[in-house]
Amino acid sequence: MKVLANIFLVGSAVTCTAAFSIISSPSVFTRATTKASSALFAQEQESNARRECISTMAAYAAAISVFSPTNEANADEGASSEKLIEFTVSNLEGVEGNEGTFTVKLRPDWAPIGAQRFVDLTEKNFWQDCRFFRVLPGFVAQFGINGDPNVQSTWRSRSLKDDPVKVTNSRGTMVFATSGPNSRTTQLFINYSDRNAFLDKSGFSPFAEIVSGMDVVDKLYGGYGEGAPSGKGPNQGLIQAKGNAYLAPSYPKLSYISKVVTK
């Protein structure tokens, strides 16, 4: 539409110029009538032509303003900013009853495949009671294994194609975890640090960002450290097999998602 609008504008300008030059020429009319009548007729025709051309050009100018690159960019930005998801998190700092919220803004312009998977999971209430099972302050907070092994098993083989990395892994960005190329399923992490740019080269593509409540993310319980077998934290294999039946009694201080609202 932008190209068509520009063509219409150029075409209108040429047509108006031609009309004015022809109607302004006395020789066109002197053959058919007197000088006085031809002058009056010329003035009337010129006036009508000018009004018509001005009206036409105004219409095309309005069309161009609607389809201008600036407005299209704003529309795209608006579409990508419409999806805001608010997470309520319980057990902040490992304290029962300590709650807070953070809000995620989807950025499909960064990673459309990842953003759509996040939407799909959210619509199926996948995040409810999910534990932040790997929280490493200064690095990442990881979550995304459902507390019900039956639910988790339905997603295990539904891996995604990779999105190219368009933005760096900086503080507050949300990213799908991977085990290699084209292996993203449900696990996510939130970057704690701007020093995580080294993850870009490994194909970790941010698809969303925390727009409010990053201070709440900073309070996710990280006392258990790295997961087994490297550390004393939860074993991901056991989380997949047993879910919250394993996590709740063995790692009771883990922060978890208690409510999700799409705005």
Side-chain angles (χ1 to χ4, degrees), residues 41-218:
F41 182 71
Q43 290 175 6
E44 181 180 356
Q45 292 299 308
E46 182 174 354
S47 178
N48 290 339
R50 287 183 181 275
R51 283 197 296 270
E52 182 179 352
C53 286
I54 290 171
S55 176
T56 302
M57 293 181 71
Y60 289 136
I64 287 173
S65 69
V66 171
F67 294 105
S68 67
T70 300
N71 285 339
E72 284 193 333
N74 290 340
D76 290 341
E77 182 180 349
S80 67
S81 64
E82 286 178 353
K83 191 72 71 174
L84 294 173
I85 299 93
E86 183 183 79
F87 287 80
T88 300
V89 182
S90 299
N91 250 26
L92 291 176
E93 299 177 320
V95 178
E96 185 176 355
N98 191 6
E99 290 188 345
T101 63
F102 66 87
T103 301
V104 175
K105 176 183 177 181
L106 287 185
R107 294 300 304 264
D109 52 326
W110 292 353
I113 300 173
Q116 185 58 52
R117 170 56 59 89
F118 185 84
V119 170
D120 294 343
L121 291 167
T122 301
E123 289 177 348
K124 293 183 180 298
N125 202 30
F126 180 89
W127 313 115
Q128 186 68 37
D129 294 329
C130 280
R131 264 61 177 174
F132 290 86
F133 60 83
R134 182 176 180 243
V135 178
L136 306 176
F139 183 38
V140 299
Q142 190 168 338
F143 67 109
I145 301 178
N146 193 272
D148 182 343
N150 294 322
V151 173
Q152 185 62 38
S153 65
T154 64
W155 294 92
R156 194 171 298 139
S157 61
R158 299 169 65 178
S159 57
L160 300 175
K161 290 181 62 178
D162 290 335
D163 283 302
V165 179
K166 293 185 178 180
V167 296
T168 192
N169 282 261
S170 58
R171 176 174 167 80
T173 53
M174 184 175 283
V175 190
F176 273 93
T178 74
S179 57
N182 303 314
S183 62
R184 298 178 299 171
T185 54
T186 65
Q187 291 194 50
L188 312 172
F189 63 86
I190 301 169
N191 281 300
Y192 273 130
S193 175
D194 287 334
R195 296 189 297 273
N196 289 357
F198 68 91
L199 296 172
D200 300 352
K201 294 181 180 180
S202 298
F204 292 100
S205 180
F207 68 89
E209 59 184 331
I210 310 300
V211 292
S212 67
M214 193 61 194
D215 58 324
V216 173
V217 178
D218 288 332

